Amino acid sequence: MDDRIAATLREDPTMAALVDRHGRLAVEPADDEFARLCTSIVNQQLSTASAAAIHERFLGVLGGDPTPDRVLAADEDALRDAGLSRTKVEYLRSAATAFRDGERDLTREGLADVDDDAVVEALTEIRGVGEWTARMYLIFALGREDVLPLGDLAVRKGIERVYNDGEELSRTEMREIAEAWRPYRSYGTRYVWAEYES
């Protein structure tokens, strides 16, 4: 995180305190967009601890980092034994098929000139990729700096805890709070997560 981003976030006194507490957090593109998408699919609706354990076993079944070919070739029973539901196996396979499709390029280069909403639209055409997974992809695979994923429970709970003593806020109120972080809402989100998890 460079000084310009830190200066923008520090204009919000509450966020400034989080920056001081958690140090410099980064929003950087993933080395491998497909592997990052697989991680998001595996993590859907799971606690951090069980997601990490299942992800580890998933990599074991694949025999290395996820590639579309490895995912499509993996034995379904072995994937199920790793802790993936039948539905998630199907989602991972549809993501692999989408990445192998010569018609679309879902890598950072392929999406470089595509705005965030259009990326979400393209990704949510893949079975098993909803709004939440698409927004995680924007932040963690593509390294987009101005994403506010209010579909994420931890983000909503975190904003409520940090800005409203844990009392409920509407999504409109959350968007208003996050206006102060523009155009670096992905960074603000990272700080809210860090605080929520600490």
Side-chain angles (χ1 to χ4, degrees):
M1 180 172 84
D2 67 27
D3 293 344
R4 186 190 51 205
I5 297 169
T8 301
L9 293 178
R10 283 182 185 286
E11 287 172 22
D12 169 353
T14 307
M15 183 55 69
L18 298 189
V19 173
D20 289 339
R21 188 151 47 238
H22 298 287
R24 297 210 161 194
L25 300 178
V27 172
E28 285 164 354
D31 294 330
D32 183 325
E33 299 92 336
F34 176 71
R36 183 57 235 192
L37 181 59
C38 287
T39 301
S40 288
I41 292 172
V42 169
N43 291 357
Q44 286 171 0
Q45 295 162 335
L46 289 177
S47 71
T48 311
S50 57
I54 292 171
H55 190 262
E56 206 52 45
R57 295 196 295 267
F58 167 60
L59 296 182
V61 172
L62 296 183
D65 288 335
T67 63
D69 292 344
R70 278 181 180 155
V71 169
L72 292 169
D75 178 71
E76 177 157 357
D77 291 336
L79 290 171
R80 304 264 295 123
D81 291 344
L84 293 162
S85 65
R86 183 165 283 117
T87 313
K88 280 201 184 167
V89 171
E90 198 183 301
Y91 291 173
L92 289 161
R93 292 202 161 143
S94 45
T97 305
F99 266 79
R100 271 215 328 210
D101 174 359
E103 295 300 300
R104 43 187 171 176
D105 183 352
L106 299 170
T107 63
R108 200 161 66 253
E109 289 73 28
L111 296 170
D113 299 326
V114 181
D115 74 30
D116 290 355
D117 290 338
V119 171
V120 169
E121 207 171 299
L123 287 167
T124 50
E125 284 171 11
I126 301 169
R127 185 165 159 64
V129 176
E131 176 95 10
W132 178 82
T133 305
R135 301 237 172 248
M136 295 302 111
Y137 191 82
L138 284 171
I139 297 173
F140 293 109
L142 303 181
R144 299 278 174 104
E145 295 188 328
D146 194 33
V147 181
L148 180 67
L150 291 181
D152 187 80
L153 183 65
V155 172
R156 295 197 308 274
K157 293 273 178 224
I159 291 174
E160 287 170 349
R161 181 187 295 172
V162 174
Y163 285 87
N164 206 35
D165 293 327
E167 295 297 312
E168 208 170 296
L169 290 165
S170 70
R171 289 193 187 204
T172 305
E173 289 170 315
M174 292 180 194
R175 279 192 199 94
E176 283 164 9
I177 287 166
E179 274 303 304
W181 318 336
R182 265 185 199 278
Y184 304 114
R185 288 177 300 172
S186 301
Y187 287 89
T189 298
R190 292 245 20 218
Y191 283 100
V192 167
W193 269 321
E195 184 66 15
Y196 181 71
E197 283 165 8
S198 65

